[in-house]
Amino acid sequence: MPSTHEVTNQVPPLTGHDTAADPALLEALHREGAGWAEPGLRELGELAGSAQAQEWGRQAEEHPPVLRTHDRYGHRVDEVEFHPAWHQLMTVAVGHGLHAAPWTDQRPGAHVARAAKFLAWSQVEAGHGCPISMTYAAVPALRATPELAARYEPLLSASVYDFGLREPSGKRGLIAGMSMTEKQGGSDVRANTTRATPSGGGEYSLVGHKWFTSAPMSDLFLTLAQAPGGLSCFVLPRVLPDGSRNRIQLQRLKDKLGNKSNASAEIEYDQAVGWLVGEEGRGVRTIIEMVNMTRLDCCLGAAAGMRAAVVQAVHHATHRWAFGKALVDQPLMATVLADLVVESEAATSLALRLAGATDRAQRGDEQEANFRRIGLAVAKYWLCKRGPAHAAEALECLGGNGYVEESGMPRLYREAPLLSIWEGSGNVAALDALRAMGRQPETVRAFFTEVDTAHGLDPRLDAFADKVRAELTDLTDIEARARRVVERMALLLQGVQLLRHGSPAVAEAFCASRLAGDWGHAFGTLPAGLDVKAIIDRGRAVRS
């Protein structure tokens, strides 16, 4: 081969590492009461960092699902075909309990353990996390009708991925989807026009069109429709108890910016059979518990994306040389990398804190339930809003190589905006935080109780907390200021977590930049005098 084709100064593949060997993740796992789960988390993290799992992720992304509406004879089949890699990813996720383990595991910290595993494993491929998240969230919603929970929950929580169109009771495990959005309104579900008419024997007949249906290959769906008593929640299986197909027709799959491995469909309910979940007219209240769970997963997904991106960026900068030394040793690049690590650890710390609040709220802790109510809305807004900017900067750390699909960075970049849209876009999340404060003032008290746990640890945090209190006292044009208010609340919560529990170097960098007002508008504008090397070291991949 001619000497011009010798490969030099290229970065070796990042494989054979442990995605769970993340200091911020492991520290949060233990302090939130799930230290007992570390062995299982590390096992999953090692698999996630393997060449095999990364190849599954690549294949699932590059070979998106295909809709088959009819068979060769003209019979309607409404099936979605997936690449085998998708099923491998799903098998691992379900087998490790990412879909529903906390609903059967009674140990304190079960939701934290599941959250940590979700964060570590979804770094492989984010699309399959959608049906995993939907299944996790469906269980508490179904419990609004005990007989439905008794019918479906044991199979939804089974640790077996059993793909295929069969009657639910004859399967070894089930996956749940969600079907809410309609053409005329996304977040405004009260504008839904799908109708549900009682047909006797506790059944309803649903007619309508859904503009987005998550994971249309699922075994059953939770959906909203207008019943005689108002907007209500229903569960619809794809196959009815008599073995016949429910009249749920897949019209087309969405051609999305990212999330390519996951099917998102428009569907038609043509007198589909459903059963009421909860009471008529209380569909939003019934479904809200599902939304809270999926919002937690949005936060976890954003944190996972940031961690995956920064590990790739640090790995590249460590092995790539320019101007006589490694990129990681170039002062300006080091500042960028450190800033990315700070953002990643702040996201992970807050997301796991909310997983802990979820766990304790499920066990009856009212204070934690109030904190979770406001904290999830605040974190959903900010963490998911930061994801795209973080992915873009991490991609740039790889230069032109990062802009090439083979690097995997474009996939992270395309995936990031979805989490800010799913389960309520930025405005919806910010307004939901205001709604919680207005309707449930106890959530504000819970928020500041959390903030006060760090009082006196750093004057910059104390001063920032005073600014947030002032923002919440002045209600003038509060809706127009919602994004600014919620952003500051999120930064305050992140500062609390890092000062109380994080690396001193990371906490100092966070306070000096995010809280002290000395931060620029781009990553890499940290103030001088920080321990940049110590921060970057926390962003390095650890070999299995």
Side-chain angles (χ1 to χ4, degrees):
M1 179 179 291
S3 61
T4 56
H5 288 279
E6 292 181 5
V7 177
T8 61
N9 198 27
Q10 285 288 342
V11 177
L14 176 56
T15 58
H17 63 291
D18 178 0
T19 63
D22 170 1
L25 179 61
L26 293 175
E27 291 159 9
L29 181 79
H30 283 269
R31 72 170 173 267
E32 296 297 337
W36 51 265
E38 183 174 346
L41 172 62
R42 298 298 292 269
E43 176 189 347
L44 186 60
E46 289 179 4
L47 178 57
S50 69
Q52 180 185 53
Q54 291 183 28
E55 182 65 5
W56 290 339
R58 182 193 67 80
Q59 291 176 338
E61 166 78 5
E62 292 187 3
H63 302 278
V66 176
L67 173 62
R68 305 295 185 194
T69 58
H70 296 77
D71 67 14
R72 59 181 291 193
Y73 304 106
H75 302 118
R76 187 129 202 153
V77 293
D78 295 294
E79 281 284 11
V80 179
E81 294 179 358
F82 292 87
H83 189 274
W86 167 272
H87 298 302
Q88 294 283 5
L89 294 167
M90 289 291 292
T91 297
V92 172
V94 172
H96 283 263
L98 275 61
H99 66 310
W103 305 118
T104 57
D105 190 340
Q106 299 303 310
R107 287 175 290 184
H111 288 274
V112 179
R114 181 259 172 193
K117 289 182 177 181
F118 187 90
L119 196 156
W121 179 246
S122 58
Q123 293 178 47
V124 175
E125 197 283 319
H128 78 290
C130 176
I132 295 299
S133 182
M134 293 292 100
T135 305
Y136 171 61
V139 172
L142 282 172
R143 287 177 175 178
T145 302
E147 55 268 33
L148 291 175
R151 182 190 307 175
Y152 293 122
E153 186 173 329
L155 289 168
L156 287 169
S157 58
S159 58
V160 178
Y161 174 60
D162 189 3
F163 182 80
L165 188 64
R166 300 190 302 282
E167 199 277 316
S169 67
K171 300 188 72 174
R172 295 174 297 158
L174 302 178
I175 295 295
M178 186 168 72
S179 185
M180 306 294 171
T181 304
E182 299 188 3
K183 292 190 291 287
Q184 71 283 349
S187 298
D188 185 11
V189 294
R190 293 190 184 278
N192 282 7
T193 60
T194 296
R195 311 300 302 183
T197 304
S199 54
E203 295 182 358
Y204 287 72
S205 176
L206 277 72
V207 175
H209 185 89
K210 293 294 181 177
W211 193 234
F212 278 96
T213 292
S214 301
M217 68 295 170
S218 300
D219 297 292
L220 54 92
F221 304 93
L222 288 175
T223 194
L224 291 174
Q226 300 288 354
L231 188 65
S232 306
C233 180
F234 298 88
V235 61
L236 284 74
R238 279 208 300 159
V239 180
L240 296 172
D242 64 4
S244 64
R245 292 172 182 256
N246 207 349
R247 296 181 66 85
I248 303 172
Q249 298 178 352
L250 277 60
Q251 302 302 320
R252 64 171 176 167
L253 299 185
K254 298 290 193 179
D255 185 7
K256 299 169 291 185
L257 169 67
N259 205 244
K260 296 288 189 177
S261 70
N262 177 45
S264 300
E266 292 178 35
I267 68 170
E268 194 83 22
Y269 293 142
D270 179 19
Q271 297 184 339
V273 175
W275 287 271
L276 182 67
V277 181
E279 301 175 24
E280 275 197 12
R282 296 173 70 85
V284 173
R285 178 164 297 198
T286 301
I287 213 70
I288 198 66
E289 189 61 24
M290 187 176 192
V291 172
N292 280 334
M293 292 299 176
T294 48
R295 282 184 174 174
L296 172 62
D297 280 7
C298 287
C299 296
L300 294 167
M306 291 185 202
R307 178 64 184 178
V310 78
V311 167
Q312 287 284 358
V314 172
H315 176 75
H316 179 90
T318 299
H319 294 277
R320 182 80 164 181
W321 282 59
F323 311 112
K325 56 183 175 181
L327 289 177
V328 74
D329 295 325
Q330 309 275 2
L332 189 52
M333 177 59 83
T335 304
V336 172
L337 295 172
D339 214 350
L340 292 172
V341 172
V342 169
E343 192 73 28
S344 172
E345 295 212 359
T348 295
S349 296
L350 181 53
L352 266 292
R353 171 66 183 92
L354 289 167
T358 297
D359 196 82
R360 289 181 281 275
Q362 292 293 324
R363 298 173 192 283
D365 189 322
E366 186 174 350
Q367 170 71 17
E368 287 290 89
N370 290 330
F371 172 70
R372 170 179 176 258
R373 172 66 183 93
I374 187 74
L376 271 178
V378 167
K380 166 66 170 72
Y381 169 78
W382 183 240
L383 301 192
C384 299
K385 190 64 67 181
R386 294 298 289 159
H390 189 278
E393 194 67 59
L395 181 154
E396 189 175 328
C397 289
L398 277 66
N401 290 321
Y403 202 67
V404 174
E405 288 289 345
E406 288 175 324
S407 72
M409 300 303 282
R411 173 150 53 105
L412 289 174
Y413 182 61
R414 288 193 303 270
E415 198 72 36
L418 173 63
L419 293 168
S420 193
I421 295 170
W422 191 32
E423 296 299 13
S425 60
N427 284 352
V428 171
L431 292 173
D432 187 51
L434 297 188
R435 187 179 302 110
M437 290 185 273
R439 295 179 180 176
Q440 299 170 263
E442 62 272 16
T443 64
V444 180
R445 291 192 291 271
F447 177 88
F448 283 109
T449 296
E450 179 75 8
V451 171
D452 288 343
T453 61
H455 181 73
L457 296 181
D458 191 293
R460 294 165 295 191
L461 182 114
D462 294 342
F464 198 85
D466 289 340
K467 291 179 183 178
V468 173
R469 283 188 169 92
E471 287 267 22
L472 296 181
T473 300
D474 178 12
L475 300 181
T476 306
D477 296 325
I478 187 67
E479 186 169 315
R481 293 186 292 114
R483 284 189 174 218
R484 186 180 71 179
V485 171
V486 173
E487 174 183 322
R488 291 184 174 183
M489 293 174 72
L491 290 171
L492 184 55
L493 284 181
Q494 288 181 318
V496 168
Q497 305 312 313
L498 292 176
L499 279 170
R500 291 186 64 203
H501 310 295
S503 155
V506 172
E508 172 60 25
F510 186 92
C511 291
S513 56
R514 278 71 165 169
L515 303 185
D518 194 22
W519 195 34
H521 293 287
F523 286 102
T525 54
L526 292 172
L530 300 173
D531 192 348
V532 170
K533 184 180 183 304
I535 296 172
I536 293 173
D537 284 343
R538 292 175 67 86
R540 295 186 184 279
V542 176
R543 295 292 175 181
S544 299

